Amino acid sequence: MADSLSSSLGEEKEKDKDDRERSRRNARTDKNKAEDGVTEALGFKTKIADSKAKKRNLSDLSLLRFITTELTRGYFLEHNEAKYTERREKVYTCLRIPKELEKLMTFGFFLCLDAFLYVFTLLPLRVILALLRLVTVPCCGLSGSRLLQPAQVCDVLKGFIMVLCYSMMSYVDYAMMYHLIRGQSVIKLYIIYNMLEVADRLFSSFGQDILDALYWTATEPKEKKRAHIGVIPHFFMAVLYVFLHAILIMVQATTLNVAFNSHNKSLLTIMMSNNFVEIKGSVFKKFEKNNLFQMSNSDIKERFTNYILLLIVCLRNMEQFSWNPDHLWVLFPDVVMVIASEVAVDVVKHAFITKFNDISADVYGEYRASLAFDLVSSRQKNAYTDYSDSVSRRMGFIPLPLALLLIRVVTSSVKIQGSLSFMCVFLFYLGMITLKVLNSIVLLGTSCVFVKEANMEEKLSDPPPSAASSRANSRAHRIKFIQTLPQQGTFHFLVKMTRSTPTIPKSDSDTFLTTPDEDDENKIINTDTGLEGDMRPKMPKKDLLEIDRFTICGNRID
């Protein structure tokens, strides 16, 4: 009985417990349903708000609003002031280039004119004085004194070269050469003219070396050990060079004359367009100050040579028309067109080169000062070269072949007969001497002003560099480099021994103009950093005054 009562009580408790749990679950379910209803209501309201916002944004992206924004939006240039200031300075630099460049060109033109007139005026007088000294010194019994000074020896050699080359040029028929070139097609003449320009640069680059070798061989002190082939072989090499260069310039002048006399002027137009091709070959290259100085000297020489060629063309045409002055006005437009195209090409070329390489227009003032320093230093007591030779080394302008051709053309075009003609020639010679003296005085005064403005007066008293001192300096620099090399850390030298000649230090412009394979030959790799470096000693950059001659046919200066 007791067991049955206890079991019934346990079952009732379990039922009550199940009822309470069921009621809790129902309450929880009702609560969850209520929360879900509130969430659905909020989500619906959120969707409505999002759709309204999208509609509002779509209404904002209208065409009228876009146009209004484009018309009213603004910006402030002062937020990048440095950039726009630099752009303005580049524009001002380009505007200054024509003025500064023409100042340099004008100064260089008169320098070339001075060296060119020297061949016609003072050189014959100096040769006569040297020959008189050569005759009078032995007669006076001055056996202990030197017969001729080194400068007089060089003058006599120049005179003999001019005489021999002129006698050889007398056998060259200008009329036959003119008709031979005139019979060629326009394309052939264009190719020939381009080849002649390249050959002229190569001749100018190597010709002054031949003349300098002759002068030094003839004036070298006798106590030194002989290391040359002799004066006579060098003399014949110089005669052959001057003659061939004169023939080359004659062919160039003849081609230009054919272009002037062509009916449709097509050849002249093609030759002028060749100047604009020069812009493409120069503007997009890396240039430094020394490279730009080289190119400026080349442009000065080229412009002066073109003026002489135009003078020769005018003389030949005037001779063919019996010196009729009316024909000169026929040639005048073509002459002006050639000169104007040359000036325009030079201005555009230099303007963009200075712009792309961030070179200031003030650099042309330094170039003028460097050319002026050559003129002033050649008038010093310790001068080691004549001024005409200094111009030849600096600009690549060698006046002997050009003067020889002009003498040949003038003597064949102008007939001298009678005493009155000789009197006119003598007066013309006096006029040339007067022009030479006045030009030299003005140039010397202007050069002194340029040197003083550039603060280069103290360099005038410096002695000229000698070969022994330069070798000693280079040896000391190599020793210093070897001594400082172990202090730089541990290196593995990977050297390709392909040639035994010493390497020449290159500037940054040489690295740009040469192929990368040439620079990979001598590299060192640092084991700490893993970076490559150049094992060659870095030489200091050369000053403009230390570069005595430029390779006119390229853009590289060693």
Side-chain angles (χ1 to χ4, degrees):
M1 185 70 182
D3 292 336
S4 61
L5 289 173
S6 61
S7 61
S8 62
L9 290 173
E11 290 177 356
E12 291 177 358
K13 289 181 180 179
E14 288 179 0
K15 288 180 180 180
D16 294 337
K17 188 177 182 179
D18 293 336
D19 293 337
R20 286 196 298 269
E21 289 181 356
R22 193 179 297 109
S23 62
R24 287 196 198 100
R25 284 197 298 269
N26 293 333
R28 192 182 297 112
T29 303
D30 295 337
K31 185 178 181 181
N32 292 334
K33 288 181 178 180
E35 290 178 356
D36 292 339
V38 173
T39 304
E40 289 178 359
L42 292 175
F44 181 73
K45 292 180 179 179
T46 304
K47 290 180 180 179
I48 294 174
D50 292 340
S51 61
K52 290 181 178 180
K54 289 182 180 179
K55 291 180 179 180
R56 190 182 300 111
N57 292 334
L58 291 175
S59 63
D60 292 341
L61 294 177
S62 62
L63 180 61
L64 181 60
R65 187 175 182 83
F66 176 77
I67 295 176
T68 304
T69 304
E70 289 295 322
L71 292 177
T72 57
R73 67 183 179 88
Y75 49 87
F76 301 93
L77 299 181
E78 60 267 17
H79 292 168
N80 199 352
E81 180 180 356
K83 175 183 178 182
Y84 291 105
T85 303
E86 181 184 0
R87 295 292 188 273
R88 184 174 61 187
E89 291 299 326
K90 286 186 177 182
V91 173
Y92 291 164
T93 300
C94 290
L95 294 178
R96 288 179 57 194
I97 288 301
K99 179 182 178 181
E100 298 296 330
L101 177 64
E102 288 307 315
K103 285 182 180 179
L104 176 64
M105 289 290 179
T106 304
F107 184 69
F109 173 80
F110 284 104
L111 291 180
C112 293
L113 180 63
D114 189 70
F116 189 67
L117 290 176
Y118 172 80
V119 180
F120 297 98
T121 56
L122 300 185
L123 181 60
L125 299 178
R126 290 175 63 93
V127 171
I128 293 173
L129 292 177
L131 295 178
L132 290 177
R133 177 183 173 87
L134 187 62
V135 174
T136 55
V137 168
C139 296
C140 296
L142 301 176
S143 58
S145 62
R146 192 171 183 175
L147 287 179
L148 293 177
Q149 298 297 323
Q152 293 177 328
V153 174
C154 296
D155 294 333
V156 171
L157 290 175
K158 292 178 183 178
F160 285 164
I161 289 174
M162 292 292 292
V163 171
L164 287 178
C165 291
Y166 178 76
S167 61
M168 296 167 64
M169 287 286 293
S170 61
Y171 293 99
V172 179
D173 192 354
Y174 186 89
M176 183 187 68
M177 183 181 298
Y178 175 81
H179 290 288
L180 180 64
I181 295 176
R182 188 178 182 180
Q184 306 298 324
S185 61
V186 175
I187 301 299
K188 285 184 178 180
L189 292 180
Y190 174 70
I191 297 174
I192 289 173
Y193 192 79
N194 289 335
M195 293 173 61
L196 291 175
E197 284 188 345
V198 175
D200 179 58
R201 295 186 178 186
L202 296 177
F203 269 76
S204 299
S205 176
F206 190 63
Q208 189 60 37
D209 292 338
I210 296 177
L211 296 176
D212 287 340
L214 171 64
Y215 301 153
W216 174 240
T217 304
T219 59
E220 187 179 8
K222 302 302 180 183
E223 61 269 11
K224 290 190 176 182
K225 182 180 179 180
R226 176 170 176 173
H228 52 80
I229 60 177
V231 178
I232 295 179
H234 279 284
F235 178 76
F236 282 111
M237 287 173 58
V239 170
L240 181 62
Y241 155 71
V242 173
F243 175 71
L244 292 179
H245 199 177
I247 293 294
L248 178 69
I249 300 175
M250 176 181 284
V251 176
Q252 195 172 0
T254 306
T255 307
L256 187 61
N257 194 7
V258 171
F260 268 76
N261 293 333
S262 60
H263 297 288
N264 53 3
K265 306 293 182 181
S266 59
L267 179 59
L268 184 61
T269 305
I270 294 176
M271 291 168 63
M272 289 174 56
S273 65
N274 189 35
N275 293 331
F276 292 91
V277 178
E278 184 181 356
I279 298 178
K280 178 182 177 182
S282 301
V283 166
F284 302 104
K285 291 183 179 180
K286 181 178 176 59
F287 276 86
E288 293 182 353
K289 289 175 61 176
N290 289 347
N291 302 103
L292 185 59
F293 186 34
Q294 169 208 5
M295 192 182 68
S296 301
N297 291 329
S298 177
D299 291 338
I300 293 171
K301 175 252 180 183
E302 183 180 358
R303 185 176 295 189
F304 184 82
T305 304
N306 288 337
Y307 290 160
I308 301 299
L309 292 179
L310 291 175
L311 176 61
I312 293 174
V313 169
C314 292
L315 288 176
R316 296 299 302 178
N317 279 275
M318 293 297 292
E319 180 200 2
Q320 296 298 324
F321 287 88
S322 302
W323 301 97
N324 186 8
D326 295 334
H327 185 68
L328 184 62
W329 296 106
V330 177
L331 297 174
F332 185 74
D334 295 334
V335 173
V336 172
M337 186 169 55
V338 172
I339 295 176
S341 65
E342 186 73 24
V343 173
V345 167
D346 289 340
V347 169
V348 173
K349 180 174 64 176
H350 283 264
F352 281 98
I353 286 176
T354 53
K355 178 182 182 298
F356 292 152
N357 296 275
D358 294 329
I359 300 177
S360 175
D362 298 331
V363 74
Y364 293 100
E366 300 178 13
Y367 298 161
R368 287 200 309 269
S370 180
L371 295 178
F373 184 85
D374 292 339
L375 176 60
V376 177
S377 60
S378 65
R379 300 294 196 271
Q380 301 294 318
K381 292 182 179 180
N382 60 346
Y384 56 91
T385 183
D386 186 70
Y387 173 67
S388 60
D389 295 330
S390 177
V391 172
S392 301
R393 298 184 188 97
R394 179 70 72 177
M395 300 183 182
F397 171 69
I398 304 177
L400 293 182
L402 198 59
L404 178 65
L405 177 61
L406 187 59
I407 294 174
R408 173 70 176 82
V409 171
V410 170
T411 53
S412 62
S413 301
V414 180
K415 304 300 181 183
I416 302 176
Q417 297 177 354
S419 58
L420 184 60
S421 300
F422 283 100
M423 184 61 67
C424 293
V425 171
F426 180 72
L427 292 177
F428 182 74
Y429 179 72
L430 292 180
M432 291 181 64
I433 292 179
T434 304
L435 178 61
K436 169 67 174 66
V437 172
L438 292 177
N439 187 37
S440 299
I441 293 174
V442 174
L443 281 178
L444 186 59
T446 307
S447 300
C448 291
V449 173
F450 289 156
V451 171
K452 187 176 181 180
E453 291 178 351
N455 298 323
M456 301 167 64
E457 297 174 336
E458 65 277 2
K459 295 183 180 181
L460 293 174
S461 58
D462 295 340
S466 59
S469 63
S470 62
R471 286 195 298 267
N473 293 333
S474 62
R475 189 181 301 110
H477 184 81
R478 287 196 301 269
I479 294 174
K480 181 179 179 182
F481 173 73
I482 293 173
Q483 291 177 353
T484 57
L485 196 59
Q487 302 175 2
Q488 299 175 359
T490 304
F491 294 94
H492 290 295
F493 291 88
L494 304 178
V495 184
K496 298 179 181 179
M497 304 300 294
T498 55
R499 55 179 182 268
S500 60
T501 56
T503 58
I504 302 175
K506 298 179 181 179
S507 62
D508 296 336
S509 61
D510 300 334
T511 306
F512 182 82
L513 294 174
T514 54
T515 58
D517 296 335
E518 296 181 3
D519 295 331
D520 293 335
E521 295 182 358
N522 297 323
K523 293 287 185 180
I524 55 178
I525 300 178
N526 192 336
T527 56
D528 299 330
T529 62
L531 299 178
E532 292 184 351
D534 197 348
M535 66 168 293
R536 294 169 294 186
K538 292 184 179 180
M539 301 292 290
K541 291 185 178 181
K542 292 184 178 181
D543 188 17
L544 293 178
L545 299 177
E546 297 177 2
I547 303 173
D548 60 347
R549 187 178 69 252
F550 296 87
T551 305
I552 304 302
C553 58
N555 293 321
R556 177 176 173 179
I557 301 178
D558 294 331

